[in-house]
Amino acid sequence: MTVRDDAFVGQIITPLRRYIPVGWFDWEPYGKRPKSWWPDLFMFLGFLALAFFVSYPSWLVHLDLEVRLWAVDANDLEWLTAVARGGAEFGQARTVATVTLLIAIWCALRSRSIRPLLMYVISFITLASILGLKHLLGRPLSQHPFKLLEVSPEGPMLFTYHAEGGGAIVDATAFPSGHAVNSILLFGLIVMLIGHVIPAWARWALLIAPPVIVFTSQVYLGQHWLSDEPAGFLLGLIIIRSAKRVPWHTIPLGPLKVFDPATRRTILISVLLILGVMLTPTLHLIPALISAAVLPTLGLIWLWLSTKAKQHREALEAAEAEGPGPEGDPEIPSQPSDSHPKA
């Protein structure tokens, strides 16, 4: 029994085609859709419980303070501190979000679709809500433990901007930890983007190692209170589970259908707009407001022009399909038939 040539070629091409950088294959996110909302509900209740226990001088607040004071004394080893700072980068948005975007671009080019970029943008925008939550709750950062302890010696009242509780510390954005959210969400997005082309051990490493590294690094460095970390992990898990529920590879694109299949120019313009959105929070107030107004406007103009161009192309194709009109193709006069003899 011999193996046909096409079967042999298929055995070679099928594994390799997954790694072709620009190509011909459909993309779909890796991972199964969560079947139940109960875990999400329990995680949200867990987050609320943490928020409650750090809203007054509870046992958790005292534990946070004790761990933070331990970290002050533990930072004597310079090499270990340097390692911890490197580990904290696994939760840094400017680092991990950039890597995630590059992977999303690769997937978009490979599938000639904007869907990977759409998943990245919508899931990444949820981090903005976390930033708003941090400001709303107003927990002072753990870099000021002694000042907080002086203000409220019975236990730092960490959920307030006011002098009687927060020590007049302006930068009160500790709870929940954004690094912890990033370590769950962004690495989860990476697995959703390329989970099909990496081995199982790599998927598990991407999902487990970053949160562990970020947790230990930030607590050791004193960049966050201990309870900030699990609160961030819970929110990150809720967001990534919500992202998994969306069928990104089949969801109707609506007006964005004009960009599917996507050309390289379409992907390039999309990336430039995404980068503009990512840089907006880093600007000062006035430039940030201008950017927030200009970028959506440019996107809508691009969408309108692309829609008009597509309508024009479709009109031309329809005209060509109908063929030339009566003037361009004059009718040929019919000839008398010879099939019937004359009477």
Side-chain angles (χ1 to χ4, degrees), residues 1-80:
M1 181 177 179
T2 60
V3 179
R4 296 190 310 170
D5 292 340
D6 57 348
F8 177 74
V9 172
Q11 292 176 359
I12 298 177
I13 296 300
T14 299
L16 292 179
R17 70 179 185 177
R18 299 183 299 173
Y19 301 95
I20 297 177
V22 178
W24 322 305
F25 311 106
D26 292 334
W27 169 85
E28 63 179 276
Y30 176 84
K32 296 181 180 179
R33 183 179 184 274
K35 296 181 180 179
S36 174
W37 286 93
W38 284 109
D40 304 77
L41 176 60
F42 288 132
M43 286 188 289
F44 183 67
L45 292 176
F47 171 79
L48 293 180
L50 288 171
F52 171 75
F53 281 115
V54 296
S55 63
Y56 71 98
S58 66
W59 61 270
L60 186 56
V61 169
H62 287 284
L63 177 61
D64 283 342
L65 184 60
E66 290 176 6
V67 172
R68 180 64 187 94
L69 295 178
W70 165 83
V72 172
D73 298 329
N75 275 234
D76 293 336
L77 298 177
E78 294 184 1
W79 68 270
L80 189 57

Side-chain angles (χ1 to χ4, degrees), residues 105-292:
I105 294 171
W106 180 81
C107 292
L109 289 171
R110 178 176 175 265
S111 60
R112 297 196 183 278
S113 174
I114 63 170
R115 293 178 182 274
L117 296 174
L118 187 65
M119 185 187 79
Y120 172 84
V121 170
I122 294 180
S123 300
F124 186 71
I125 285 178
T126 56
L127 293 178
S129 62
I130 303 298
L131 182 61
L133 181 64
K134 289 158 70 76
H135 281 281
L136 177 64
L137 296 176
R139 188 180 197 186
L141 294 173
S142 60
Q143 281 86 335
H144 315 281
F146 299 109
K147 188 173 184 181
L148 288 168
L149 191 60
E150 291 174 2
V151 173
S152 53
E154 298 300 324
M157 298 284 289
L158 300 182
F159 263 122
T160 174
Y161 285 100
H162 304 293
E164 60 269 18
I169 297 173
V170 178
D171 193 5
T173 57
F175 187 91
S177 168
H179 281 64
V181 177
N182 292 336
S183 67
I184 296 289
L185 174 60
L186 294 177
F187 283 96
L189 288 178
I190 291 175
V191 172
M192 290 179 67
L193 286 166
I194 59 172
H196 292 289
V197 298
I198 59 177
W201 67 265
R203 292 195 295 267
W204 284 107
L206 288 171
L207 294 175
I208 296 176
V212 173
I213 294 173
V214 167
F215 176 82
T216 54
S217 298
Q218 290 209 297
V219 172
Y220 176 78
L221 293 173
Q223 293 180 349
H224 270 282
W225 306 101
L226 177 67
S227 57
D228 296 342
E229 301 299 321
F233 293 147
L234 290 173
L235 290 183
L237 287 170
I238 293 173
I239 296 172
I240 196 65
R241 282 174 59 85
S242 299
K244 287 183 176 182
R245 287 185 166 90
V246 180
W248 297 103
H249 59 299
T250 58
I251 188 173
L253 294 177
L256 298 181
K257 182 67 176 177
V258 68
F259 299 126
D260 200 41
T263 62
R264 295 182 183 180
R265 183 179 65 178
T266 296
I267 295 173
L268 174 62
I269 297 175
S270 301
V271 171
L272 292 177
L273 291 174
I274 292 172
L275 289 175
V277 172
M278 292 175 61
L279 293 175
T280 296
T282 65
L283 304 175
H284 294 292
L285 179 60
I286 300 301
L289 292 176
I290 295 174
S291 176

